[in-house]
Amino acid sequence: MRVFIRQCSVDCRVSVLVLVHESLIVDNEQQPSLFDTTPEPWVIDDQGDWLAARVVFAAPPFGPYDYSIPVEFEAAVGVGKRLLCTLGRGDRKMIGYCTHIIGPQHELARDVNIARLKPIVSVVDDEPIIQPAMIPLAKWIAEYYLCPLGSVIETVVPVGVRQQAGTRDMLFLSVSEDFRIDDSAIRLTDLQRQIMDVLLAGVEALTPKELAETAGCTQGPISVLRKKGYIVTHNRRVMQRTHEIPAELREENLPLNPEQQMALNDIQSAVDRRQHETFLMFGITGSGKTEVYIRAIQKAVAHGHQAIVLVPEISLTPQTRQRFRARFDRVAVLHSHLTPGERSWHWNEILAGRVDVVIGARSAVFAPVPRLGLIVIDEEHDNSFKQDKAPRYHARDVAQWRAERENVPLVLGSATPSLETYSAAQRGTYRLLNLPKRVLNRPLPIVSTIDMRADYTPGKGISPLSLKLRQEINQSIHEGGQVILLLNRRGYSTRVQCPHCGEVVYCPDCSIPMTHHLDGMRLACHYCDFQMPTPDVCPKCQYNAIRFSGLGTQRLEQYIHAVFPEFTCARMDTDTMKKPGSHEATLSRFRRGEIQLLLGTQMIAKGLDFPNVTLVGVVNADSALHFPDFRASERTFALVTQVAGRSGRGPKGGRVLVQTYSPEHPAIVAATRHDYERFARYELNMREQAHFPPFGRMARIVVRSPNKELAEAFATMVVEQVNKEKLKRAMDFTVMGPAVAPVEKLRGNYRFHILFIAAQNVALQEVLGAASDNFTNSDDVQWVIDIDPQDML
């Protein structure tokens, strides 16, 4: 809510604020929390004549800094608006975000010396760019993840919204206040009176063109009325086009089995009571979790509330959007493949309360819904919910904080829940909802492993697809089924090596082998995007028989076309899915049966529902199994289980074949048996011994520099400062490192990392925050703090 501060009596100000507040209570059904717009006591009890704005910036210096508010700006300044301010002795101009308006009675007033403050230069926004009630969420993220508040705000509000993308500045006309109060003494012609009557009768201001068309006149008499001051003008940015989601054929609710109904009853009860509770819906693949989500959201919408649904991969958004659009009239989407104009339009529709369901990837957790009633996170285990750049927030934890603050239920759904979430449910922190059966009691697919060690033929090497898998593909498609093949490596060959001297072609800026891409005959680094032509000879010894090894999706696609030329095949990876709408187009063709064999990376592994898929093949289950990351086994188990769940969802049943060099590994064994509990027992036991999450909380500091010695020295200094703060506070936690990071060099920088493991997460933030204030910063060294890291490379 914007608070208008004017030089008027206290009684005048109180009456205006009370009216606004009471209307909000009626409109929002006493919505608590994040969008509770009750004014601060200092706003009501104005006992002074100065005002200051606390401002943060998205770039150094981050602030916060206080600025005085000149009288002419008091009515325009508001929390959540951008302000143009000056910095330093040179009065460098910089745009910042207003987080507080401080008066003499404000609790922060004691920190303000109004006489020494610089005034703000101007107010950038007519309306808050971030809703004032979202500021506490941004502050929590800044404090928890140890990052500047200004950069958090710019993460919360999409760049398209900040830039008002898709809008145009337009002129609007309205009746002057003097004319509106008393027009009895004003002499007008009949046409002029008709024009003024049109404006007086209108609810909203009109453009000159709209007014002329409605009044049936030219611009001439309108211009005369403007010159006389009876019509006043103002400019406003207007969205140029709408981006509504096309309607889908209406679908009726599907019947629920007893387990689905029990889960739904529990969630609906929390929705009815407007009570926060976190549910883990632990349902096997194909158990009908989405139907339960939809029915729970219908209950929230019936109460006049809105819902946010987060999905992990951009490829899920079209399918999820279609399913929800077939049940709800007002659906918005938020994800990175939208144009800035599309994202801005959806954001403003959500903010205006004209949307019932918001669907999107990680950043949709910040959707500015004014009447939130439910948050759902599908495939909550997915690593993509953790942002890999500052602020390094996890959408699941942000959703948890927001749901608690707004007193609404949070539903976490997965067939392979993260061990942190599963452990919380076992402890009773979350409420466990089990869906152990597939809909219509369809059986889970039979999963078999193929030991690729036994598939090796001396002199011929190993084929990308074993004989058994090739036979099963041929049989499935000839029987009218469809096939999905998962290979989580894009490109053609994952390694280029000289057989004469042994030289491997590495990225010059990263300690990563270059990947050969057939299109354009190029080598590419998948970490920094460096590219170079594929060499014909060894760069080191000039040997002319360079060897391409390793299997990527391009090479697998070429192999499929050679072995099965009669089958239609499509590839889905980030190389083929660059164009907007490409995900949706490919998946639609697969659903219609135009594609018989779909191969791709992990984007095809989760959430997709194709009843005609009768075979799933995991081409290399070991691709990430042996990474130096304590979550490697968990990710492998989840990926194999999830992609296996794409098979057998229809009446034909299904099979899954998993090619692996480690068939005895506990993650592979448990995945082939659809046995999550078995895997969880094994993995939790291993983590408990090491005090890894969920038995401890973790943070990681990564130091990087073009100079390896500087990076190592800085990392050593980091450990010294942390140990000083740790000793000062008598806190006990483990410090591991500094050590060379698993990926030693990235984007031209050498990398060292330090791990911190503590029983209480608060200790980590307190110590690391204090220690970082004493880091001896250098222009040649960069460092980042990652709270609850998901990537250890």
Side-chain angles (χ1 to χ4, degrees), residues 164-369:
Q164 297 182 305
T167 65
R168 183 164 64 94
D169 193 59
M170 295 184 66
L171 181 72
F172 287 87
L173 309 178
S174 58
V175 178
S176 69
E177 196 63 28
D178 290 341
F179 188 93
R180 192 181 296 274
I181 292 172
D182 184 12
D183 65 344
S184 59
I186 299 175
R187 297 180 61 184
L188 298 175
T189 67
D190 291 343
L191 181 57
Q192 289 174 334
R193 175 64 63 181
Q194 180 178 332
I195 293 170
M196 298 305 293
D197 287 343
V198 168
L199 279 180
L200 285 167
V203 178
E204 298 181 350
L206 299 175
T207 66
K209 181 180 179 181
E210 290 171 338
L211 178 57
E213 290 177 350
T214 307
C217 67
T218 64
Q219 293 295 329
I222 296 175
S223 298
V224 172
L225 291 170
R226 288 172 59 182
K227 289 177 182 178
K228 291 182 176 181
Y230 303 148
I231 293 179
V232 294
T233 65
H234 64 278
N235 288 71
R236 187 172 80 235
R237 299 199 68 85
V238 177
M239 190 67 65
Q240 291 303 289
R241 55 170 295 189
T242 63
H243 299 278
E244 290 187 15
I245 298 174
E248 299 286 336
L249 187 64
R250 201 70 177 180
E251 293 179 359
E252 298 299 323
N253 288 338
L254 302 176
L256 303 180
N257 62 33
E259 290 80 12
Q260 286 176 298
Q261 189 63 58
M262 289 174 61
L264 177 62
N265 291 344
D266 289 341
I267 299 170
Q268 286 184 335
S269 176
V271 170
D272 288 336
R273 300 193 311 272
R274 289 206 54 76
Q275 175 181 328
H276 169 68
E277 192 168 1
T278 300
F279 299 92
L280 169 57
M281 191 185 299
F282 178 21
I284 63 172
T285 57
S287 59
K289 295 185 288 293
T290 303
E291 184 64 25
V292 178
Y293 302 155
I294 289 174
R295 300 281 280 274
I297 293 170
Q298 287 174 343
K299 174 66 75 170
V301 171
H303 285 296
H305 301 141
Q306 301 156 292
I308 297 174
V309 181
L310 303 185
V311 292
E313 294 284 355
I314 202 64
S315 61
L316 292 182
T317 301
Q319 176 175 302
T320 307
R321 183 197 68 199
Q322 289 163 4
R323 291 193 66 175
F324 279 84
R325 188 63 180 87
R327 306 285 189 92
F328 300 95
D329 292 327
R330 306 189 302 176
V331 177
V333 294
L334 293 173
H335 58 75
S336 60
H337 276 210
L338 296 176
T339 66
E342 288 172 333
R343 196 171 184 122
S344 179
W345 185 85
H346 282 290
W347 184 272
N348 286 304
E349 289 294 293
I350 295 165
L351 180 61
R354 293 190 288 266
V355 169
D356 294 324
V357 186
V358 180
I359 303 167
R362 176 180 60 231
S363 61
V365 73
F366 301 121
V369 292

Side-chain angles (χ1 to χ4, degrees), residues 462-576:
I462 298 178
S463 169
L465 302 181
S466 62
L467 175 61
K468 176 66 173 174
L469 184 51
R470 295 198 301 271
Q471 291 172 339
E472 292 286 347
I473 291 172
N474 190 64
Q475 179 181 342
S476 294
I477 295 180
H478 276 110
E479 290 176 350
Q482 291 172 292
V483 176
I484 288 178
L485 294 180
L486 169 71
L487 176 61
N488 210 23
R489 285 286 184 271
R490 61 189 179 97
Y492 186 83
S493 298
T494 57
R495 182 183 295 263
V496 179
Q497 186 172 22
C498 176
H500 184 257
C501 70
E503 176 77 1
V504 176
V505 182
Y506 276 80
C507 172
D509 296 322
C510 307
S511 55
I512 300 293
M514 300 280 281
T515 299
H516 171 52
H517 286 252
L518 203 58
D519 53 312
M521 291 299 293
R522 59 192 170 88
L523 298 184
C525 174
H526 292 168
Y527 282 76
C528 73
D529 294 327
F530 173 82
Q531 297 188 17
M532 59 181 284
T534 299
D536 296 321
V537 298
C538 173
K540 183 178 181 181
C541 72
Q542 306 304 307
Y543 186 70
N544 63 358
I546 201 163
R547 179 172 176 265
F548 298 89
S549 60
L551 180 66
T553 49
Q554 283 186 352
R555 189 173 183 180
L556 178 60
E557 182 184 29
Q558 186 183 73
Y559 177 84
I560 291 293
H561 286 310
V563 176
F564 303 109
E566 70 276 23
F567 299 154
T568 55
C569 173
R571 170 166 58 96
M572 285 188 69
D573 55 29
T574 53
D575 295 320
T576 60

Side-chain angles (χ1 to χ4, degrees), residues 571-730:
R571 170 166 58 96
M572 285 188 69
D573 55 29
T574 53
D575 295 320
T576 60
M577 298 290 112
K578 292 179 179 179
K579 294 182 180 179
S582 54
H583 293 85
E584 186 171 1
T586 302
L587 295 176
S588 295
R589 289 180 59 212
F590 189 63
R591 182 177 299 279
R592 293 193 301 266
E594 298 171 12
I595 298 170
Q596 296 167 298
L597 196 154
L598 181 66
L599 68 92
T601 54
Q602 63 177 342
M603 65 173 61
I604 67 171
K606 298 177 285 289
L608 302 177
D609 186 1
F610 298 108
N612 198 42
V613 172
T614 56
L615 176 66
V616 166
V618 180
V619 178
N620 182 6
D622 312 327
S623 58
L625 183 59
H626 304 295
F627 278 6
D629 187 327
F630 74 92
R631 288 191 174 90
S633 292
E634 181 180 4
R635 291 187 185 129
T636 298
F637 171 82
L639 188 60
V640 174
T641 302
Q642 291 286 343
V643 74
R646 303 315 105 203
S647 181
R649 288 174 170 249
K652 296 178 181 179
R655 305 180 300 285
V656 181
L657 293 179
V658 179
Q659 295 187 161
T660 175
Y661 292 91
S662 308
E664 69 286 343
H665 193 283
I668 302 294
V669 172
T672 58
R673 298 178 181 179
H674 304 287
D675 194 344
Y676 176 88
E677 284 84 359
R678 175 192 178 112
F679 171 75
R681 286 194 301 270
Y682 164 81
E683 188 67 16
L684 287 172
N685 180 60
M686 298 288 288
R687 294 197 190 178
E688 186 173 18
Q689 295 177 36
H691 305 290
F692 284 170
F695 300 100
R697 303 304 294 270
M698 181 179 288
R700 182 182 187 226
I701 292 182
V702 178
V703 177
R704 56 180 183 258
S705 172
N707 186 303
K708 186 174 182 179
E709 288 72 26
L710 280 179
E712 185 173 16
F714 192 95
T716 301
M717 180 272 297
V718 166
V719 171
E720 291 172 355
Q721 292 296 334
V722 170
N723 282 332
K724 284 182 182 178
E725 296 297 331
K726 173 183 170 184
L727 183 63
K728 185 187 300 183
R729 290 165 173 74

Side-chain angles (χ1 to χ4, degrees), residues 102-122:
I102 305 169
Q105 303 304 313
H106 194 279
E107 61 183 358
L108 298 176
R110 61 181 178 273
D111 302 325
V112 177
N113 185 344
I114 193 68
R116 299 187 61 185
L117 299 186
K118 291 184 176 185
I120 64 170
V121 177
S122 64

